[in-house]
Amino acid sequence: MNNLLVLPMVLPLLVGILLIFLRPFVKWQRVISFATLLFTFGLSIYLLFHVQQEGIITLDFGGWSPPFGISFVGDSFSLLLTATTYFIATICSLYSFSTMGKDKENMFVYPLVHLLLAGVSGSFLTGDLFNLYVCFEVMLLASYALIVLGGERVQLREAIKYVLVNVLSSFIFLIAIAYLYGVTGTLNLAHLSVRIAEAGQPPILTTIAIVFLLVFSLKAGLLLYFWLPGAYGAPPMAIAALFGALLTKVGIYALFRFFTMLFYHEPELTHTIIAVMAIVTMVGGSIGAVAYNDLRKIVSYNVVIAVGFILSGLAIFNEAAIEGSIYYLVHDMIVKAFLFLLVGVTIYLSGTQRLERMSGMIRNYPLLGWLFFLATISLAGIPPLSGFVGKVFVAQGAIDGQAFVLLAVTLISSIFVLYSLLRIFRTVFWGETIIGTDEMVPLRTGMILPCALLGAATLALGLGAESISGIVQDAVNTLLNPQIYIDAVLNRGGA
């Protein structure tokens, strides 16, 4: 059983390499890619439910017991995000089949997507710090190629900024790893937790913690998000949906893992810094979301707002807030992919991404209009949709922790999210239509079906929140009680 834990990373990696040699055979690439993603999603669900019954799964490569070898660790938090990742990737692959075009499909898009997913899932599952760095780099290298897919001028311009920021953050990441190893003598996450607890997190370790906070903030778009709106608005929308749903979430995952399991001994400093950064991020993202008339920019700034909101739960650092953040993290991964795909369909049908050039599209495409409205109220946290549960728990955590400034900013940012998306709905879908019957572009089933599936997912996640409540509570328990993770890795080991 434990050996299955490596498959969410290894399977897309191997299939990605295979697809390179199938470049001329686009249909075979599509079939193999979709089958792989669907199988890996099912496997992730199976592993997730196995963890609920049997406890944390560990795998030690080469028979080397931790902390000396490479370890993979599957707990409720990591496997929940892995399963969500492959669900989104499977749906986005359906969208890409109808929208990418053979010219782009022949530019290794499917191999690159699989390498990206291998890096994302590896980051969630790895149990040691150096391999977290390696998986980050696999993910980023694939994203560098995907962001310039098509070779348009705007893509090349944004790619330069994106690559420079991530190369700089990776360099700082490597330096932070070296310093942490020099102080503690280990890179295994469970062993690091033990060593830091034994030392009581002296000032040198708190300084290293702040360096890691800088690194993961750059990658997550927390405060240092200046690169994100342009980068996420540049690639084709199927790729942009994967970026918006997944890439910032890897940085968020790392922040949660590090600042609940490793650097939790000085929360008055580290978590206060996270709180300030979350507030500034939500304020800046809210301003950006209402300042632009470009659909891509608006939805990209909504990604920024969500980063600040999710990490406000980590800053509050109590059980209710962390539970709310995890609920909202899963919700945001699904709904951001939903929103990006809807925007992609809208741009395709209207031929523009400027708000002032669209009107009345709901008359021509009613299903698209109401799906966009569903995404709007879900992101705003209107009950009973999926965003509501997470926001309630974060608000409860803020009240319990007397974090009233954070509470106020999170509530105000939700109003800005609602306003920015209702502005799109009112301008683009409401009003007098400017598209005549003879000018209507046919709405492809392959474009609207993935949107409908993601819309159904956000409805199901909201109405069926209790169905994953046990998983989320187990994830919270593991994060807030590092000894559970430590015992699973160091005292029981893997097979």
Side-chain angles (χ1 to χ4, degrees):
M1 168 57 67
N2 290 20
N3 291 327
L4 295 177
L5 189 60
V6 75
L7 288 182
M9 186 196 79
V10 169
L11 194 58
L13 187 63
L14 294 176
V15 171
I17 295 171
L18 171 65
L19 293 178
I20 293 174
F21 298 98
L22 296 177
R23 180 184 179 186
F25 309 103
V26 171
K27 289 186 178 179
W28 276 108
Q29 286 193 66
R30 292 177 179 178
V31 170
I32 294 172
S33 177
F34 182 77
T36 302
L37 294 175
L38 190 60
F39 174 79
T40 314
F41 168 60
L43 175 65
S44 301
I45 292 291
Y46 174 73
L47 291 171
L48 179 59
F49 282 104
H50 181 78
V51 166
Q52 306 312 303
Q53 297 172 356
E54 305 294 335
I56 295 175
I57 306 171
T58 63
L59 173 63
D60 306 326
F61 289 78
W64 288 87
S65 298
F68 304 107
I70 297 171
S71 297
F72 266 31
V73 184
D75 62 0
S76 292
F77 187 37
S78 60
L79 284 170
L80 178 61
L81 297 186
T82 303
T84 308
T85 294
Y86 281 104
F87 171 73
I88 291 166
T90 304
I91 301 299
C92 288
S93 69
L94 289 175
Y95 183 87
S96 68
F97 298 158
S98 295
T99 61
M100 195 66 68
K102 288 192 176 181
D103 56 334
K104 291 186 176 69
E105 288 178 303
N106 282 324
M107 296 171 70
F108 303 106
V109 61
Y110 298 122
L112 288 168
V113 166
H114 279 77
L115 293 177
L116 178 84
L117 294 171
V120 171
S121 57
S123 299
F124 292 150
L125 296 172
T126 186
D128 69 279
L129 188 48
F130 185 76
N131 280 285
L132 178 64
Y133 170 80
V134 171
C135 291
F136 259 108
E137 292 309 299
V138 170
M139 175 189 75
L140 289 172
L141 286 172
S143 71
Y144 296 157
L146 288 169
I147 199 174
V148 296
L149 192 69
E152 296 181 8
R153 184 176 179 180
V154 64
Q155 291 177 283
L156 298 174
R157 185 181 69 245
E158 295 299 334
I160 293 172
K161 188 195 310 179
Y162 178 74
V163 171
L164 287 175
V165 166
N166 281 290
V167 167
L168 174 62
S169 65
S170 295
F171 177 67
I172 300 171
F173 192 2
L174 205 55
I175 291 173
I177 291 172
Y179 273 110
L180 186 60
Y181 182 78
V183 173
T184 62
T186 184
L187 291 178
N188 181 277
L189 293 176
H191 201 214
L192 277 168
S193 183
V194 172
R195 288 282 178 89
I196 293 170
E198 289 173 349
Q201 194 174 321
I204 181 64
L205 284 173
T206 302
T207 303
I208 293 171
I210 294 172
V211 176
F212 276 113
L213 176 57
L214 172 65
V215 169
F216 296 133
S217 295
L218 272 167
K219 295 184 182 296
L222 177 67
L223 180 63
L224 307 169
Y225 60 81
F226 59 91
W227 55 270
L228 190 152
Y232 285 16
M237 290 307 294
I239 304 302
L242 285 176
F243 281 18
L246 303 181
L247 294 195
T248 57
K249 308 311 183 292
V250 180
I252 290 171
Y253 168 83
L255 285 167
F256 269 87
R257 188 65 81 185
F258 271 57
F259 288 91
T260 58
M261 192 169 76
L262 304 184
F263 306 114
Y264 59 89
H265 304 278
E266 297 290 341
E268 297 82 5
L269 176 60
T270 53
H271 290 66
T272 300
I273 294 173
I274 294 171
V276 173
M277 295 173 77
I279 289 171
V280 176
T281 302
M282 285 185 281
V283 171
S286 298
I287 294 171
V290 300
Y292 287 93
N293 287 329
D294 185 307
L295 286 179
R296 287 174 176 260
K297 287 286 181 68
I298 294 171
V299 296
S300 295
Y301 273 105
N302 272 278
V303 173
V304 174
I305 297 171
V307 170
F309 182 89
I310 294 165
L311 287 167
S312 65
L314 176 60
I316 296 166
F317 201 49
N318 58 32
E319 184 175 344
I322 298 290
E323 186 173 354
S325 288
I326 294 174
Y327 267 116
Y328 199 84
L329 178 56
V330 175
H331 146 82
D332 192 68
M333 292 171 74
I334 294 172
V335 180
K336 281 301 186 301
F338 184 27
L339 186 60
F340 271 92
L341 294 189
L342 288 171
V343 166
V345 176
T346 304
I347 293 172
Y348 167 77
L349 295 174
S350 64
T352 180
Q353 57 193 52
R354 302 290 302 179
L355 280 181
E356 64 272 17
R357 298 175 187 172
M358 308 180 200
S359 179
M361 289 187 64
I362 200 167
R363 298 175 184 270
N364 305 94
Y365 309 101
L367 179 57
L368 175 64
W370 292 117
L371 284 174
F372 191 93
F373 183 72
L374 175 64
T376 297
I377 59 176
S378 182
L379 275 171
I382 305 298
L385 298 171
S386 56
F388 174 72
V389 179
K391 291 195 174 186
V392 166
F393 276 111
V394 170
Q396 179 186 332
I399 294 170
D400 293 343
Q402 298 186 336
F404 298 115
V405 175
L406 261 177
L407 175 62
V409 175
T410 56
L411 294 176
I412 293 170
S413 71
S414 297
I415 296 172
F416 274 89
V417 168
L418 180 61
Y419 173 76
S420 67
L421 296 179
L422 280 179
R423 185 164 67 106
I424 296 176
F425 183 74
R426 178 179 59 83
T427 304
V428 174
F429 293 101
W430 222 243
E432 190 68 31
T433 182
I434 58 174
I435 302 175
T437 305
D438 56 336
E439 298 174 331
M440 284 181 60
V441 178
L443 179 56
R444 303 176 190 172
T445 303
M447 297 179 75
I448 199 63
L449 177 61
C451 299
L453 290 174
L454 289 170
T458 187
L459 275 171
L461 187 61
L463 295 172
E466 289 185 2
S467 63
I468 68 164
S469 62
I471 298 172
V472 174
Q473 288 168 7
D474 186 54
V476 173
N477 189 40
T478 304
L479 287 174
L480 293 180
N481 298 281
Q483 194 61 44
I484 298 172
Y485 187 101
I486 293 166
D487 289 341
V489 176
L490 298 182
N491 299 337
R492 186 177 65 188

